Amino acid sequence: MRDHTPTPRRPSSGGGGRPAGVGDQIPRGLLPARVAQLLDDDPALTAAGVTERLGVHRNTAQAALTALRAERMADVMEQRGVPAAQAAAALGYPAGLTRRAGILAGAIVRGRQARPYLADVARALHARGWTTTDTPPAIEHPQGDECFAALALDNPEAPAAALVWSERHGWRTSTSRRHPLGRGAAWPPPGPGVRHLATGTTPPPADLVKALESTG
């Protein structure tokens, strides 16, 4: 006769961190500041160390640590005019822990350099009456190595719901105001109703407006 007695669970060998099946113990909004404190004390901090100390998932810890290192490396890269590897060394970050952060840091620097252009575009779209404010769009890095920005055209009479900018591909329209980038910022984006606008990656704002008018 087959024995159906359940097998006892083996005790966890871990010394801390987030127990299996338990959510992160720190709200996402508070995590960057807490990780920053740990990184200030230990430049060689690892994702495992963040998990152990703060009780968050390993992936959550890695994402927060990479983003924080990248922002700090980008600051040094701009201030000193050095590449990512030298910025990491100046901050005391081990080379083996900063590959992804270095890629993201480069994208952050390029995004900062693109801000004046994107601000000009936002002003041009607002002057045309397609947006209610001329606030520049936030720059995003959903893939880690590329800059994206999205502008919702909140006037119902605008010829598109939103615009999306990619540093590699230029401008395109979007059919969604709430989620203009789409999943993972794929390019070319799937689905009908999406058009590429103007030419080049940074066309003059006036040319972009004209190209958008032609889609109406």
Side-chain angles (χ1 to χ4, degrees):
M1 182 175 180
R2 187 175 180 179
D3 184 5
H4 294 282
T5 303
T7 302
R9 292 186 179 181
R10 298 171 60 184
S12 171
S13 60
R18 193 187 77 162
V22 177
D24 292 339
Q25 300 175 26
I26 295 179
R28 292 294 179 94
L30 301 179
L31 186 60
R34 295 292 300 276
V35 174
Q37 293 173 350
L38 296 177
L39 189 58
D40 288 341
D41 295 335
D42 179 13
L45 181 68
T46 64
V50 174
T51 297
E52 178 73 20
R53 291 167 176 81
L54 301 183
V56 297
H57 191 278
R58 175 67 176 268
N59 292 346
T60 302
Q62 185 63 69
L65 192 55
T66 297
L68 183 58
R69 277 198 169 111
E71 285 284 350
R72 293 183 174 184
M73 290 165 63
D75 290 342
V76 175
M77 291 164 69
E78 286 190 314
Q79 293 165 3
R80 304 186 186 182
V82 297
Q86 291 186 30
L91 292 165
Y93 300 158
L97 299 178
T98 57
R99 184 185 66 82
R100 283 188 289 180
I103 294 172
L104 179 56
I108 291 173
V109 170
R110 297 193 305 275
R112 292 174 181 177
Q113 294 169 346
R115 284 174 179 169
Y117 168 69
L118 295 173
D120 288 343
V121 170
R123 285 191 289 268
L125 296 173
H126 180 62
R128 182 62 181 79
W130 290 333
T131 62
T132 54
T133 71
D134 61 356
T135 304
I139 296 171
E140 303 178 51
H141 310 282
Q143 298 172 343
D145 62 346
E146 186 175 356
C147 298
F148 287 87
L151 275 162
L153 306 184
D154 46 13
N155 183 334
E157 297 183 0
L163 296 182
V164 173
W165 175 77
S166 157
E167 67 172 324
R168 294 178 183 169
H169 305 285
W171 291 93
R172 66 168 173 83
T173 61
S174 173
T175 57
S176 172
R177 288 190 177 92
R178 292 190 62 186
H179 305 289
L181 287 180
R183 186 175 181 179
W187 206 289
V194 175
R195 298 186 181 182
H196 294 270
L197 300 170
T199 58
T201 56
T202 54
D207 291 352
L208 182 63
V209 169
K210 291 179 182 179
L212 189 56
E213 286 175 331
S214 70
T215 68

